[in-house]
Amino acid sequence: QSVLTQPPSASGTPGQRVTISCSGSSSNIGSNSVYWYQQLPGSAPKLLIYRNNQRPSGVPDRFSGSKSGASASLAISGLRSEDEADYYCAAWDDSLSGPVFGGGTKLTVL
Amino acid sequence: QVQLQESGPGLVKPSQTLSLTCTVSGGSISSGGYYWTWIRQPAGKGLEWIGRIYISGNTKYNRSLESRVTTSVDTSKNQFSLNLSSVTAADTAVYYCARAAVELGHGAFDIWGQGTMVTVSS
């Protein structure tokens, strides 16, 4: 059972906007930054968002992150077929003294 | 650009020690500002942080694993390593090495290896 809670699945049609939620607690999201990763089938995860809403160089601005209290969201606008992947949130947990991940959300582009 | 590559046995017997190495290319492991990290993913499941090591030798491990985990850095070979002792079938997973950039915050793994599958079985 993961420390951070994500919905197991999400879906959308091409061009749509989809959001994926990530719920935590005061010891992780509530007091630390949130990170988002994209894992394409058969590949290693890729950093999509750091420090809640910052995009690394090369990540399209279709991807955006936000945080409120002990919850966070990843939004993907202008959905494309190549966005079909697993998405994971992560945050440092002060109680566990280490980073924790969500269980992952499988995004299907219909 | 910096690349990471895991190497090690794909099959380990129960109760033995799992040993993996991550080779860093395109950059020096001795440059500060990065935690060299291990993360694993059982088949069809989520990600689990195992631990990290800084070039100074400072380490931090997942509390659920710390009694069995050790990591080390070999600057002469530009490599860092993971040892996980007393393995069981529950340790079967894809093991990734990754770089965590301090400037991006705790939890920002900006470069990953391709991952290596390790199966624990007799």
Side-chain angles (χ1 to χ4, degrees), chain A residues 2 33 35 37 39 42-47 50-51 56 86 88 90-92 94-104, chain B residues 37 39 41 44-49 52 60-63 96 101-115:
Chain A
S2 302
S33 292
Y35 305 81
Y37 295 87
Q39 186 174 32
S43 297
K46 169 189 172 184
L47 180 64
Y50 67 96
R51 291 198 190 281
D86 293 326
Y88 293 91
W92 184 267
D94 293 333
S95 298
L96 298 175
S97 196
V100 291
F101 291 92
Chain B
T37 302
I39 294 167
Q41 183 174 35
K45 296 187 177 181
L47 301 163
E48 180 181 34
W49 177 77
R52 72 186 189 192
K60 186 178 283 289
Y61 302 130
N62 186 319
R63 288 182 179 172
Y96 294 101
V102 173
E103 67 174 346
L104 300 184
H106 297 288
F109 307 108
D110 63 340
I111 297 177
W112 296 64
Q114 66 183 28

Side-chain angles (χ1 to χ4, degrees), chain A residues 26-49:
Chain A
S26 58
S27 66
N28 42 65
I29 295 178
S31 53
N32 295 293
S33 292
V34 178
Y35 305 81
W36 289 93
Y37 295 87
Q38 176 193 60
Q39 186 174 32
L40 297 171
S43 297
K46 169 189 172 184
L47 180 64
L48 271 186
I49 298 288

Side-chain angles (χ1 to χ4, degrees), chain B residues 20-95:
Chain B
L20 296 175
T21 296
C22 183
T23 300
V24 180
S25 59
S28 173
I29 199 171
S30 299
S31 57
Y34 303 106
Y35 293 109
W36 303 99
T37 302
W38 291 96
I39 294 167
R40 68 182 182 179
Q41 183 174 35
K45 296 187 177 181
L47 301 163
E48 180 181 34
W49 177 77
I50 299 171
R52 72 186 189 192
I53 185 167
Y54 196 70
I55 189 58
S56 63
N58 182 271
T59 58
K60 186 178 283 289
Y61 302 130
N62 186 319
R63 288 182 179 172
S64 68
L65 298 170
E66 65 182 346
S67 64
R68 300 193 290 129
V69 174
T70 57
T71 56
S72 60
V73 171
D74 186 336
T75 56
S76 67
K77 295 181 179 179
N78 225 31
Q79 296 175 333
F80 63 104
S81 298
L82 168 72
N83 282 333
L84 180 65
S85 64
S86 305
V87 297
T88 69
D91 294 309
T92 294
V94 174
Y95 284 75

